Amino acid sequence: MPAPKNPAAEKPGTPARGPRSRIQKRNRQIILDAALEVFSTHGFRGATLDQIAAQAGLSKPNLLYYFDSKDAIHRDLLTRLLDTWLDPLRMLDADGDPQTEIMAYMRRKLEMSRDFPRESRLFANEILQGAPRIEEFIRHDLRSLVDEKAQLLSDWSQAGRIARVDPYHLIFSIWALTQHYADFAAQIGMIRGDSHDPLDGAEPFLEQLYTRLLTP
Amino acid sequence: MPAPKNPAAEKPGTPARGPRSRIQKRNRQIILDAALEVFSTHGFRGATLDQIAAQAGLSKPNLLYYFDSKDAIHRDLLTRLLDTWLDPLRMLDADGDPQTEIMAYMRRKLEMSRDFPRESRLFANEILQGAPRIEEFIRHDLRSLVDEKAQLLSDWSQAGRIARVDPYHLIFSIWALTQHYADFAAQIGMIRGDSHDPLDGAEPFLEQLYTRLLTP
DNA sequence: ATCAAGTTTGACCATCCAGTCAAGAACCAT
DNA sequence: ATGGTTCTTGACTGGATGGTCAAACTTGAT
């Protein structure tokens, strides 16, 4: 009298906390990487499981052995992304030198565009669609962090340690300028030549820009 | 013996150059407006004809009476968009005062983000997906325009009429900073409060930023 | 009023796509 | 080697979606 299903061995997805075998770990990573590639360029609805499966070199049913659904893959990617998305801004240190700190923040964000352009595009896709899946994150985690750091920037500004600038727009400008190099890389490549690194020259330019903007 | 089809009266779409009746003109406009709304937030594949039909208050077959296909609607929107997308940069006048001209360009782009945020998001969606449908436009029209204006900026820079800046990154920075307010409006709204106008304070900030950047 | 052209739609079709399932293949502890 | 577990997949299903069509309705010139 066999049980209708193996009771303990559910889908490895959500219930089993950590991937057990080496195969699990490896394949889940392969799938997430393939899915990041596909979701970041086609958006959630524009991506198909077949595309992701092909990209991963696995069969579609095999994807669904490792993840409960297309949505679960996407959610997993977003969760991992958001975990680290705030870090650069979090590191803005109230005790450091204002200009140095802001410059370092800009540089960290630029590095993220260089090292994780697909993650940036995944995020951009989500925001473009009205951020339905990460609304809570933005309204709470991101908002409170931004409010806190804007206050810090405002204090620095008041104290004359940086020029008088609107702190929110200062933060938005860093987001816009750095993420642009990841999100619009296709356009930049077509304009400057595809062999050209889109980020070439970006850092000196942004350093010049923010030095001039922030110096009191 | 009626002809199997009315021979001259094809689909009003491509063949008939201009919409004839008042109804044609009105409904095509309604459809394009609805489609812009839906495509700009969901992307091409994420949008459905049913969504567009509902938004337009028309039936799905009726959409397809006015346009040959989903793709035709999208193509029409993009074509109309690209027609005007270059205008702000085109207006950058070699005979004007450099700082005034660049500032005016920035302001025109910011106005476009204010007045046509959906068009900006439609464009952003297209670029995020690797610009498959507008690659030719970018590689030829946009690229040659940017090259030309970059040369102009470079000349101004060499002549000491503006600070020494990388002309390409200067242009990209204007794109990034202005389009961000349209493309990431959802995020800005969630951070600053949805009742708050996302663009509030943007113009003074950008004026300050570019004044400081460009003054020699 | 009449009728031909233009407009609208319910019903339908073919394809695509997320997700299922049962059977088979690979793995691994003994 | 053996047997239970984990992994893999071909074949399938149900629903969504782009697009068709013929029949009906509306419009406007006469």
Side-chain angles (χ1 to χ4, degrees):
Chain A
M1 56 199 72
K5 305 268 166 175
N6 35 2
E10 284 284 332
K11 279 273 180 65
T14 318
R17 217 49 198 112
R20 287 166 171 73
S21 71
R22 207 164 299 128
I23 297 180
Q24 284 262 342
K25 201 163 189 171
R26 186 179 121 271
N27 279 357
R28 284 180 71 95
Q29 194 47 55
I30 288 176
I31 292 169
L32 286 173
D33 192 67
L36 177 58
E37 188 71 30
V38 178
F39 281 137
S40 67
T41 59
H42 297 297
F44 179 75
R45 296 217 33 195
T48 72
L49 284 179
D50 289 290
Q51 263 179 296
I52 298 172
Q55 177 81 25
L58 298 173
S59 68
K60 180 169 61 169
N62 209 1
L63 293 199
L64 293 163
Y65 173 74
Y66 290 102
F67 291 89
D68 286 339
S69 64
K70 179 184 180 183
D71 204 76
I73 304 177
H74 191 254
R75 198 165 28 244
D76 198 310
L77 280 174
L78 267 187
T79 306
R80 285 158 192 266
L81 168 59
L82 297 187
D83 262 358
T84 59
W85 200 241
L86 301 185
D87 286 349
L89 183 52
R90 254 196 220 105
M91 292 169 71
L92 195 77
D93 183 3
D95 297 330
D97 171 64
Q99 273 212 51
T100 313
E101 284 298 318
I102 296 169
M103 230 58 149
Y105 172 48
M106 176 273 285
R107 236 175 270 116
R108 284 193 293 273
K109 283 288 291 176
L110 198 59
E111 261 163 45
M112 291 196 63
S113 280
R114 191 192 306 272
D115 298 338
F116 308 106
R118 300 178 305 176
E119 282 83 349
S120 183
R121 286 193 288 270
L122 184 72
F123 187 81
N125 255 306
E126 207 54 28
I127 302 294
L128 269 178
Q129 282 158 36
R133 299 157 202 275
I134 58 177
E135 187 164 348
E136 286 310 292
F137 167 83
I138 294 179
R139 285 195 194 281
H140 299 129
D141 307 62
L142 180 54
R143 180 177 184 165
S144 62
L145 179 64
V146 168
D147 282 344
E148 175 201 327
K149 298 304 184 183
Q151 184 58 54
L152 172 59
L153 293 171
S154 178
D155 291 345
W156 283 342
S157 190
Q158 296 285 330
R161 304 181 67 186
I162 57 172
R164 288 190 172 274
V165 289
D166 181 305
Y168 286 96
H169 287 288
L170 174 56
I171 292 173
F172 295 157
S173 77
I174 294 175
W175 292 353
L177 287 169
T178 56
Q179 292 173 16
H180 185 84
Y181 288 102
D183 301 343
F184 288 73
Q187 178 177 233
I188 294 176
M190 291 175 191
I191 288 174
R192 309 209 66 180
D194 292 304
S195 60
H196 199 287
D197 171 18
L199 271 137
D200 189 48
E203 188 172 332
F205 175 81
L206 293 182
E207 260 170 43
Q208 179 183 6
L209 189 153
Y210 281 109
T211 303
R212 283 173 165 259
L213 175 63
L214 295 173
T215 302
Chain B
M1 57 197 70
K5 305 267 165 175
N6 35 1
E10 284 283 332
K11 279 273 181 65
T14 316
R17 216 46 199 118
R20 287 165 171 74
S21 71
R22 206 164 301 127
I23 296 181
Q24 286 262 342
K25 200 162 190 172
R26 186 179 121 269
N27 280 355
R28 285 179 70 96
Q29 195 47 56
I30 287 176
I31 291 169
L32 287 173
D33 192 68
L36 177 57
E37 189 70 31
V38 177
F39 281 136
S40 67
T41 59
H42 298 299
F44 179 74
R45 297 215 36 197
T48 73
L49 284 180
D50 289 290
Q51 262 180 296
I52 298 172
Q55 177 80 25
L58 299 172
S59 68
K60 181 169 61 170
N62 208 2
L63 294 198
L64 294 162
Y65 172 74
Y66 289 103
F67 290 89
D68 287 338
S69 63
K70 179 185 179 182
D71 204 76
I73 303 177
H74 190 254
R75 197 163 32 245
D76 199 310
L77 279 174
L78 267 187
T79 306
R80 284 158 193 265
L81 168 59
L82 297 186
D83 263 357
T84 59
W85 199 242
L86 301 186
D87 285 348
L89 183 53
R90 254 196 221 104
M91 292 168 73
L92 195 77
D93 183 4
D95 297 329
D97 170 63
Q99 273 213 49
T100 313
E101 285 298 318
I102 297 168
M103 229 59 150
Y105 173 48
M106 177 272 285
R107 233 174 272 117
R108 284 192 293 273
K109 284 287 291 176
L110 198 58
E111 261 163 46
M112 290 196 63
S113 280
R114 192 193 304 273
D115 298 340
F116 308 107
R118 301 178 304 176
E119 282 83 350
S120 183
R121 285 194 288 267
L122 184 72
F123 187 81
N125 256 305
E126 207 53 28
I127 302 294
L128 270 177
Q129 283 157 38
R133 300 157 200 274
I134 59 176
E135 186 164 349
E136 285 311 291
F137 167 83
I138 294 179
R139 285 196 192 281
H140 299 128
D141 306 62
L142 180 54
R143 179 177 186 166
S144 62
L145 179 63
V146 167
D147 282 344
E148 175 201 327
K149 297 305 184 182
Q151 184 59 55
L152 172 58
L153 293 171
S154 178
D155 291 345
W156 283 343
S157 189
Q158 296 285 330
R161 304 182 67 188
I162 57 172
R164 287 191 172 273
V165 289
D166 182 303
Y168 287 95
H169 286 288
L170 175 56
I171 292 173
F172 295 158
S173 75
I174 294 175
W175 292 352
L177 287 168
T178 56
Q179 291 173 16
H180 185 84
Y181 288 101
D183 302 343
F184 287 73
Q187 177 177 234
I188 294 176
M190 290 175 191
I191 288 174
R192 309 208 65 180
D194 293 305
S195 61
H196 198 286
D197 172 17
L199 272 138
D200 189 47
E203 188 173 333
F205 174 81
L206 292 182
E207 261 170 43
Q208 180 184 5
L209 189 153
Y210 282 108
T211 303
R212 282 172 164 260
L213 175 63
L214 295 173
T215 302

